[in-house]
């Protein structure tokens, strides 16, 4: 059992970079999940029960308080890499779902830390992504190698399998917000497909559109006032913006890393972690990182003059390795993206969870490190874009 004792570690404030106008985010809490030998893959949050879930490279999910960083417990059961976690289940805010390269989608009760359901795609499958939706909110879609499987999550029965639209691993599936019968899939084959999931789902009648990115796709997400826009990050760190309703590409940043690197005085941007959209400001940011753990929020201009701007927030001093996941807390709780108070949490290959505050806080130079003694796993190398 992981303890929650904390040791105070005072860090030295960094000197200002230059006269650029940006927010320098201060670090509040830093939790070492397992002496740095386990990677943090993803962080997700249930606002209703104030619980933060963290997936690790040890095939374990740990649960924390997002306000204090207190360790709550862990969920164990997967036998291979956990590829996605989400509190998005329609059934209960206390239920966390996860999918894995062990070919399963599992549900966990975060109050008891027990597994409450298991869906199996088959022993030879790997499940890379999942999403809840459908016109009746009853479907669970999952990307399983080159197939898309659909279950009725209420009874656990598989209701459809799409196997002709993609020829390589399906890295992302997302039901479109406010259009729950529409599903988008993205794959290593470079294609994004739009499906209508009403009725008896099949490849011939339900594939509505195909968008060709031409390179292996890592992450996609919706944004815009009507969620009509789609951002796409690839495994070679390119960024593109699409209108999924007509299949048109609106901006294509093939040299996104160079554009971002030219706009700050930090090390070269080595990778992109994610994109983040603020509806209040109608602003899309791409989050770039360095190999030593510094992050920048670069605004994306995709209409008219297409460009990546200077970073509007910089997160520095929390991580010592590649950052894999960013959870912006302020937007989850209704605040502005860069307002006072808690900014968010990050996790990475140094095994550390970092909590960030806006630079108005008086605590920005204090980090808390867990003093718990926990079992070290055997050290194994994990590629950042597992399994590609």
């Amino acid at each position: 059992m992981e303890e929650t004792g904390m040791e105070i570690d005072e860090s030295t404030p960094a000197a200002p970079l230059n006269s650029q106008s940006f927010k320098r985010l201060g670090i509040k809490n830093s939790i070492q999940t397992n002496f740095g030998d386990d990677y943090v893959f993803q962080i997700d949050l249930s606002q209703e029960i104030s619980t933060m879930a963290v997936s690790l490279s040890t095939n374990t999910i740990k649960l924390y308080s997002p306000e204090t960083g207190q360790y709550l417990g862990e969920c164990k059961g997967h036998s291979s890499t956990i590829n996605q976690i989400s509190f998005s289940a329609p059934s209960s805010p206390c239920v966390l779902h996860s999918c894995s390269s062990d070919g399963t989608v599992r549900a966990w009760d975060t109050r008891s830390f027990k597994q409450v359901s298991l869906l199996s795609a088959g022993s030879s499958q790997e499940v890379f992504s999942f999403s809840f939706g459908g016109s009746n909110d009853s479907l669970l879609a999952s990307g399983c190698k080159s197939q898309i499987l659909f279950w009725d999550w209420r009874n656990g029965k598989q209701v459809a399998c799409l196997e002709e639209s993609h020829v390589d691993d399906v890295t992302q599936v997302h039901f479109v917000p406010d259009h729950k019968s529409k599903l988008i899939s993205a794959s290593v084959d470079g294609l994004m497909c739009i499906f209508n999931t009403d009725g008896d789902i099949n490849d011939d009648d339900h594939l509505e559109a195909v968008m060709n990115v031409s390179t292996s796709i890592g992450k996609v997400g919706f944004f815009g006032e009507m969620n009509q826009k789609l951002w796409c990050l690839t495994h070679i760190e390119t960024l593109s913006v699409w209108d999924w309703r007509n299949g048109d590409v609106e901006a294509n940043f093939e040299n996104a890393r160079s554009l971002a690197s030219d706009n700050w005085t930090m090390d070269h941007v080595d990778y992109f972690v994610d994109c983040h959209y603020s509806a209040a400001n109608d602003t899309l940011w791409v989050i770039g990182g360095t190999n030593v753990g510094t992050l920048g929020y670069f605004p994306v201009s995709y209409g008219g003059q297409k460009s990546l701007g200077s970073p509007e927030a910089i997160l520095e001093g929390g991580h010592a390795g590649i950052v894999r996941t960013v959870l912006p807390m302020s937007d989850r709780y209704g605040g502005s993206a860069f307002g006072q108070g808690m900014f968010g949490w990050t996790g990475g290959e140094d095994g550390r969870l970092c909590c960030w505050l806006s630079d108005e806080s008086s605590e920005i130079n204090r980090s808390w490190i867990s003093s718990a003694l926990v079992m070290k796993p055997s050290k194994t190398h994990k590629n950042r874009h597992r399994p590609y």
Side-chain angles (χ1 to χ4, degrees):
M1 183 74 173
E2 184 171 296
E3 299 174 6
T4 58
M6 297 289 181
E7 294 176 352
I8 301 298
D9 174 32
E10 297 289 346
S11 58
T12 302
L17 290 179
N18 50 35
S19 59
Q20 285 181 315
S21 176
F22 60 83
K23 293 278 191 180
R24 180 182 292 280
L25 280 299
I27 183 169
K28 177 190 177 185
N29 281 5
S30 177
I31 302 170
Q32 198 73 40
T33 58
N34 222 357
F35 293 104
D37 283 350
D38 49 338
Y39 292 179
V40 175
F41 283 156
Q42 186 186 353
I43 308 171
D44 198 40
L45 175 73
S46 174
Q47 178 178 337
E48 292 87 346
I49 61 172
S50 189
T51 298
M52 184 172 69
V54 179
S55 61
L56 303 174
S57 58
T58 51
N59 309 330
T60 301
I61 301 167
K62 292 189 177 183
L63 301 169
Y64 299 87
S65 163
E67 288 85 11
T68 66
Q70 180 184 1
Y71 173 74
L72 303 176
E74 64 183 20
C75 302
K76 286 186 174 182
H78 284 297
S79 59
S80 190
T81 302
I82 298 173
N83 295 313
Q84 183 184 339
I85 58 174
S86 177
F87 277 106
S88 60
S91 52
S92 169
C94 297
V95 174
L96 174 75
H97 278 77
S98 59
C99 71
S100 167
S101 292
D102 63 13
T104 66
V105 180
R106 301 174 190 242
W108 312 88
D109 187 326
T110 57
R111 296 163 296 188
S112 64
F113 315 113
K114 301 296 185 183
Q115 179 180 301
V116 292
S117 73
L118 182 149
L119 301 174
S120 178
S123 58
S124 62
Q125 283 281 23
E126 294 183 78
V127 186
F128 299 120
S129 55
F130 65 89
S131 181
F132 288 93
S135 56
N136 297 320
D137 221 19
S138 61
L139 289 178
L140 172 61
S142 62
C144 307
K145 290 192 174 178
S146 63
Q147 300 177 340
I148 303 170
L149 301 184
F150 294 87
W151 285 277
D152 185 327
W153 65 263
R154 299 167 298 181
N155 56 29
K157 292 183 178 179
Q158 185 177 323
V159 296
C161 174
L162 301 176
E163 52 188 353
E164 297 177 3
S165 300
H166 291 291
V167 296
D168 216 326
D169 293 340
V170 177
T171 54
Q172 298 272 275
V173 289
H174 292 287
F175 283 99
V176 182
D178 304 320
H179 302 272
K180 283 299 187 75
S181 63
K182 305 286 187 183
L183 179 84
I184 183 168
S185 60
S187 169
V188 173
D189 62 17
L191 301 181
M192 297 187 293
C193 298
I194 298 285
F195 299 94
N196 182 349
T197 61
D198 287 334
D200 296 327
I201 307 167
N202 60 74
D203 287 281
D204 295 330
D205 301 326
H206 288 73
L207 175 61
E208 293 189 339
V210 177
M211 294 166 281
N212 190 356
V213 182
S214 301
T215 190
S216 178
I217 301 169
K219 286 184 178 180
V220 299
F222 299 97
F223 72 100
E225 184 179 354
M226 305 295 293
N227 290 301
Q228 76 277 19
K229 307 294 185 184
L230 188 69
W231 57 261
C232 173
L233 286 173
T234 72
H235 288 132
I236 59 171
E237 317 299 344
T238 65
L239 168 68
S240 55
V241 175
W242 301 72
D243 187 323
W244 64 265
R245 298 169 303 178
N246 54 30
D248 291 340
V249 58
E250 298 192 350
N252 188 16
F253 301 98
E254 293 184 349
N255 58 339
R257 275 189 296 179
S258 297
L259 291 174
S261 299
D262 291 343
N263 280 323
W264 70 353
T265 58
M266 313 296 287
D267 290 341
H268 185 81
V269 173
D270 296 300
Y271 57 90
F272 292 114
V273 184
D274 211 334
C275 287
H276 176 60
Y277 176 71
S278 171
N281 303 318
D282 189 27
T283 301
L284 177 71
W285 294 276
V286 61
I287 306 171
T290 71
N291 287 334
V292 295
T294 302
L295 295 177
Y297 272 62
F298 298 88
V300 181
S301 177
Y302 54 90
Q305 184 175 0
K306 299 168 176 56
S307 64
L308 301 185
S310 298
E312 295 181 356
I314 292 178
L315 287 69
E316 183 186 14
H319 289 285
I322 291 172
V323 178
R324 286 187 176 234
T325 181
V326 178
L327 177 72
M329 289 277 291
S330 52
D331 269 10
R332 297 294 185 101
Y333 288 110
S336 64
F338 303 117
Q340 293 189 358
M342 188 176 290
F343 179 84
W345 286 84
T346 55
E349 295 188 4
D350 54 6
R352 177 173 283 196
L353 289 170
C354 293
C355 176
W356 301 87
L357 297 177
S358 66
D359 58 0
E360 285 86 357
S361 170
S362 61
E363 297 184 57
I364 64 172
N365 297 317
R366 174 172 293 178
S367 63
W368 294 359
I369 301 177
S370 172
S371 60
L373 296 178
V374 290
M375 184 178 296
K376 270 192 178 183
S378 57
K379 191 165 187 176
T380 57
H381 177 71
K382 301 283 185 181
N383 292 327
R384 189 171 74 87
H385 291 310
R386 166 84 176 100
Y388 313 108

